C-alpha cells in the first residue's frame, strides 16, 4: 500500500476524472492500484499501513523473542542467525537482524521504567556526591558537590581525599554556605556513611551518626543503581566536571596550585547559582533566601572530634608538633590552635575558624629532627647567611648602591674577597659616575666584580678601557711592560 499522502492523491485524481485509467495517469500508478483504493474506501477499510507478506522467519519469531527475553535484550543478531541456521532456517540474515531489532524494541517498552517526579519541600533535603577533579601539581583532586533539592543551590569544594574528617569538613562548609541545616542529607553508599548492608538495610557509620546529631541532620543513602534518588547529585557532579576539569571541550588551562582550583570552584558556584534554573525558571540564589526560612540553625562550633588532636602553633615560628615530627602551617596562624591527624603517609592540619573547618596544610610524615616546611607558609626572606643583600644605612652607601645592580654585586664580591679601603673605593665610584655615564660605571663595577679586580685604580682603568673601545681605536699592549725578564736566554738558542 502507498503512504497516506499518495493514497489521498490517487483518490483525489479518481474523484476528479471518474476514470481508473485517467486517475492512474495523473497519480503515476497502475489502474489496478486506483481500483483497489476506491474499493477499500467504499467498504470503509482504507488503510495506509503496508501489507505484511508471509516470511520464512514467521515460524521462528517466537524463538527470537524468547532469546531476547532470556538475554534481557542483549542478544546479538548474528548469534541469533547462527542459532536459527542450525534450526534449518534458510532465510536472509538481514531479515533476522530486523526481527531481532523489533523484538528488542518491544522488550524495551515492556521493561521501560516510569519515574515519578520528586516533589520536595523547602528545607527538607540536600544531597552530596563526588567527582574526579583535575590534577594539580601532580596530585589528583576530588570535587565535593552538594545541592539543596528545592532551591537547586549548589556548593563546589575541591578536596584531596574522601576520608571521614575531610567529608565532615566539607559538609560543615556546605551547610554554612547554605545558611542552615536541612532535615535530611542524601548521599551515595560510601564507606564514610555506610559501613555495610545487612539484608539490604544500610548500617550507618557511628561517627556520621554523631555528626548528624551535632548538626540536626538525618543522613540517608541512595538505593544502589537507582537514578530516582541519585539523579540530582549526579547531574551536579556532571556539570561541575564539565566546567572545571580541563578538556578539549572547555579549553581550560591546567591549574598550577590548589588555590587556583578553589577560586575556579567559587567562580563556577557563583555563576550557576545566579542564573535561572531550567526547571524552576528562577535563580537558585534567589530561592535560597526563601528556603533559609525553613532550615534549622547551624551550631556555632563545628564537629571537631574527627579532625584528630589539637595542637598549638608556636609563637616564634608557624610550626606544630605531631607524633614527634614538626610541620609548618601558614604564618597567619601563629598562636592559634589547629587539629592534626594522620591520613596514610600524610599528616593533615585543619584550622577551625569563623567560616568553619579548613584544611590549611598537608605534609608527608617525617621523623624527629627533620621538619617539614612549605615555603608558601612563610613570607619571602629578606636575606640569609648564603644570600645576603646590601641595604644602605648611610647616605654615602645609598648613593653608591643607587648607581645600579652592578654596585651591589661589586660590594658583595669585594667584601667576600677581603678588599681593603672599600668605603674609599665606593666614594671613588660615585665620583667617577659624574665623569662618565652612570651606565658605564655600573658596567665597570660588574666587570670588576666578575674578574675580581678590587685594587687601587682598577675601576678607573676599566672605565678608560671601555671608553677607548667605544671610540673605535684598537687596544694594544705597551712595550714598556712585559712579562719577559730579559733576552739573554735567546743567545743559547741554536747551540
Amino acid at each position: 500500500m502507498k503512504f497516506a499522502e499518495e493514497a489521498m492523491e490517487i483518490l483525489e485524481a479518481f474523484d476528479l476524472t471518474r476514470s481508473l485509467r485517467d486517475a492512474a495517469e495523473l497519480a503515476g500508478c497502475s489502474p489496478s492500484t486506483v481500483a483497489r483504493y476506491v474499493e477499500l474506501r467504499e467498504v470503509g477499510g482504507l488503510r495506509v499501513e503496508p501489507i505484511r507478506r508471509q516470511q520464512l522467519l514467521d515460524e521462528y519469531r517466537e524463538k527470537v523473542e524468547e532469546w531476547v527475553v532470556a538475554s534481557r535484550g542483549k542478544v546479538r543478531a548474528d548469534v541469533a542467525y547462527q542459532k536459527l541456521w542450525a534450526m534449518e532456517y534458510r532465510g536472509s540474515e538481514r531479515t533476522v537482524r530486523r526481527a531481532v531489532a523489533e523484538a528488542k524494541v518491544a522488550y524495551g517498552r515492556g521493561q521501560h521504567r516510569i519515574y515519578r517526579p520528586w516533589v520536595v519541600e523547602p528545607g527538607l533535603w540536600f544531597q552530596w556526591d563526588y567527582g574526579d577533579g583535575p590534577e594539580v601539581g601532580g596530585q589528583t583532586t576530588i570535587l565535593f558537590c552538594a545541592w539543596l533539592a528545592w532551591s537547586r543551590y549548589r556548593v563546589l569544594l575541591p578536596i584531596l581525599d574522601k576520608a571521614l574528617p575531610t567529608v565532615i569538613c566539607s559538609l560543615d562548609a556546605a551547610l554554612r554556605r547554605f545558611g542552615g541545616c536541612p532535615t535530611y542529607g542524601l548521599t551515595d553508599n560510601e564507606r564514610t556513611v555506610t559501613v555495610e548492608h545487612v539484608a539490604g538495610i544500610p548500617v550507618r557509620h557511628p561517627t556520621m551518626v554523631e555528626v548528624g546529631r551535632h548538626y540536626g541532620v538525618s543522613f540517608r543513602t541512595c538505593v544502589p543503581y537507582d537514578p530516582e534518588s541519585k539523579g540530582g547529585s549526579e547531574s551536579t557532579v556532571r556539570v561541575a566536571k564539565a566546567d572545571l576539569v580541563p578538556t578539549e571541550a572547555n579549553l581550560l588551562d591546567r591549574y598550577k596550585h590548589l588555590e587556583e582550583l578553589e577560586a575556579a570552584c567559587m567562580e563556577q558556584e557563583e555563576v550557576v547559582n545566579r542564573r535561572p534554573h531550567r526547571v524552576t525558571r528562577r535563580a537558585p540564589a534567589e530561592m535560597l533566601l526563601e528556603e533559609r526560612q525553613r532550615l534549622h540553625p547551624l551550631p556555632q562550633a563545628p564537629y571537631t572530634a574527627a579532625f584528630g588532636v589539637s595542637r598549638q602553633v608556636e609563637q616564634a615560628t608557624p610550626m606544630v608538633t605531631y607524633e614527634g615530627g614538626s610541620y609548618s602551617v601558614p604564618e597567619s596562624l601563629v598562636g592559634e590552635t589547629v587539629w592534626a591527624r594522620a591520613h596514610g603517609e600524610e599528616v593533615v592540619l585543619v584550622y577551625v575558624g569563623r567560616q568553619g573547618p579548613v584544611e590549611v596544610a598537608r605534609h608527608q610524615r617525617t621523623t624527629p629532627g627533620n621538619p617539614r616546611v612549605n615555603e608558601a607558609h612563610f613570607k619571602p626572606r629578606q636575606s640569609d647567611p648564603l644570600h645576603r643583600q646590601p641595604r644602605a644605612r648611610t647616605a654615602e652607601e645609598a648613593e653608591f648602591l643607587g648607581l645600579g645592580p652592578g654596585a651591589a654585586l661589586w660590594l658583595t664580591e669585594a667584601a667576600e674577597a677581603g678588599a681593603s679601603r672599600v668605603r674609599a673605593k665606593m666614594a671613588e665610584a660615585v665620583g667617577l659616575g659624574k665623569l662618565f655615564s652612570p651606565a658605564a660605571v655600573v658596567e665597570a663595577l660588574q666587570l670588576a666584580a666578575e674578574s675580581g679586580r678590587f685594587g687601587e685604580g682598577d675601576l678607573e682603568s676599566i672605565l678608560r678601557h671601555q671608553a677607548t673601545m667605544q671610540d673605535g681605536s684598537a687596544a694594544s699592549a705597551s712595550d714598556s711592560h712585559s712579562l719577559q725578564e730579559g733576552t739573554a736566554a735567546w743567545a743559547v738558542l741554536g747551540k
Side-chain angles (χ1 to χ4, degrees):
M1 300 289 285
K2 299 290 185 181
F3 290 102
E5 293 82 0
E6 297 180 358
M8 296 307 297
E9 292 179 359
I10 293 173
L11 294 175
E12 183 180 358
F14 176 78
D15 292 339
L16 181 64
T17 61
R18 288 295 175 179
S19 170
L20 295 178
R21 291 184 177 276
D22 294 341
E25 184 178 354
L26 290 176
C29 60
S30 64
S32 59
T33 301
V34 178
R36 185 167 63 252
Y37 271 98
V38 172
E39 181 180 355
L40 290 173
R41 186 177 64 174
E42 293 296 332
V43 298
L46 183 63
R47 299 183 308 172
V48 295
E49 294 84 1
I51 298 177
R52 187 180 179 280
R53 297 178 176 85
Q54 187 176 5
Q55 297 178 332
L56 295 176
L57 187 63
D58 289 345
E59 58 179 304
Y60 301 98
R61 286 188 181 276
E62 292 185 1
K63 181 58 68 174
V64 172
E65 295 174 356
E66 178 185 339
W67 293 336
V68 170
V69 173
S71 65
R72 297 181 180 179
K74 297 180 180 179
V75 66
R76 286 164 38 186
D78 57 340
V79 175
Y81 176 73
Q82 294 175 3
K83 297 171 74 68
L84 289 175
W85 187 267
M87 297 172 63
E88 298 184 355
Y89 168 73
R90 294 299 180 263
S92 67
E93 183 177 359
R94 184 179 181 183
T95 304
V96 176
R97 291 185 179 276
R98 289 180 176 176
V100 172
E102 293 174 0
K104 286 184 177 181
V105 171
Y107 175 81
R109 290 173 180 170
Q111 298 295 320
H112 183 67
R113 183 174 179 178
I114 303 300
Y115 297 103
R116 176 179 297 178
W118 187 19
V119 181
V120 295
E121 300 178 19
L124 196 63
W125 287 93
F126 87 100
Q127 290 182 266
W128 82 87
D129 204 350
Y130 311 91
D132 295 332
E135 187 174 296
V136 180
Q139 188 174 18
T140 58
T141 61
I142 302 169
L143 296 177
F144 176 89
C145 306
W147 75 303
L148 284 170
W150 185 78
S151 63
R152 273 78 172 180
Y153 190 89
R154 301 176 185 177
V155 173
L156 306 176
L157 299 173
I159 56 179
L160 299 178
D161 59 64
K162 293 194 287 186
L164 183 58
T166 305
V167 174
I168 297 174
C169 286
S170 303
L171 286 175
D172 184 271
L175 293 175
R176 295 190 185 279
R177 293 192 189 180
F178 291 156
C181 300
T183 304
Y184 300 102
L186 184 64
T187 185
D188 208 346
N189 289 274
E190 297 282 344
R191 285 290 182 180
T192 52
V193 181
T194 302
V195 178
E196 61 177 339
H197 283 79
V198 179
I201 302 300
V203 180
R204 298 282 176 257
H205 196 292
T207 304
M208 288 301 293
V209 175
E210 296 180 8
V211 173
R213 291 172 182 168
H214 180 80
Y215 291 100
V217 177
S218 178
F219 294 114
R220 296 289 185 267
T221 53
C222 301
V223 179
Y225 306 104
D226 181 34
E228 283 185 308
S229 58
K230 294 179 61 179
S233 58
E234 290 183 347
S235 177
T236 303
V237 172
R238 182 175 64 254
V239 173
K241 291 174 63 176
D243 293 334
L244 294 173
V245 180
T247 60
E248 295 181 356
N250 53 32
L251 302 178
L252 287 177
D253 297 329
R254 293 186 177 273
Y255 303 98
K256 297 180 181 179
H257 306 286
L258 186 61
E259 291 75 12
E260 295 184 7
L261 178 58
E262 292 176 349
C265 288
M266 289 291 293
E267 182 179 355
Q268 179 62 20
E269 182 181 321
E270 183 74 14
V271 171
V272 298
N273 289 328
R274 292 295 176 185
R275 68 188 179 194
H277 194 272
R278 66 178 182 84
V279 176
T280 61
R281 299 294 193 270
R282 298 175 60 189
E286 175 187 343
M287 298 182 65
L288 178 63
L289 299 178
E290 300 179 19
E291 188 166 14
R292 279 178 177 170
Q293 301 176 6
R294 304 288 295 274
L295 298 177
H296 307 305
L298 268 167
Q300 294 183 355
Y303 183 85
T304 58
F307 296 159
V309 294
S310 61
R311 288 292 184 266
Q312 191 79 15
V313 184
E314 300 176 15
Q315 291 288 347
T317 179
M319 303 289 291
V320 295
T321 303
Y322 176 72
E323 295 184 353
S326 185
Y327 306 91
S328 68
V329 296
E331 61 180 19
S332 59
L333 299 179
V334 169
E336 298 286 349
T337 299
V338 298
W339 297 82
R341 62 180 173 87
H343 178 68
E345 294 299 321
E346 295 181 326
V347 173
V348 181
L349 302 171
V350 175
Y351 172 69
V352 180
R354 294 182 178 179
Q355 303 300 324
V358 179
E359 181 181 317
V360 294
R362 183 180 290 252
H363 298 277
Q364 291 292 324
R365 283 200 178 199
T366 187
T367 55
N370 298 299
R372 292 288 185 184
V373 177
N374 186 348
E375 294 297 335
H377 295 162
F378 299 84
K379 294 180 181 178
R381 299 185 63 173
Q382 298 295 332
S383 61
D384 58 72
L386 296 179
H387 307 90
R388 298 186 65 173
Q389 298 296 326
R391 289 182 295 174
R393 299 177 182 273
T394 64
E396 292 77 9
E397 293 175 356
E399 190 175 9
F400 172 74
L401 295 176
L403 292 175
L409 178 62
W410 183 92
L411 177 57
T412 303
E413 296 295 333
E416 186 70 22
S420 60
R421 302 182 67 248
V422 174
R423 292 185 179 276
K425 293 171 183 176
M426 291 169 57
E428 180 186 358
V430 174
L432 291 173
K434 300 177 181 179
L435 298 176
F436 300 87
S437 65
V441 175
V442 171
E443 184 179 358
L445 287 170
Q446 185 171 355
L447 289 174
E450 293 174 352
S451 58
R453 296 183 60 182
F454 306 110
E456 299 290 341
D458 283 350
L459 182 61
E460 183 178 0
S461 176
I462 295 175
L463 283 169
R464 294 189 182 281
H465 175 73
Q466 289 177 341
T468 303
M469 295 298 294
Q470 291 177 358
D471 293 341
S473 58
S476 59
S478 173
D479 294 336
S480 60
H481 300 282
S482 175
L483 297 177
Q484 181 69 35
E485 297 180 356
T487 59
W490 294 2
V492 300
L493 293 176
K495 294 185 179 181

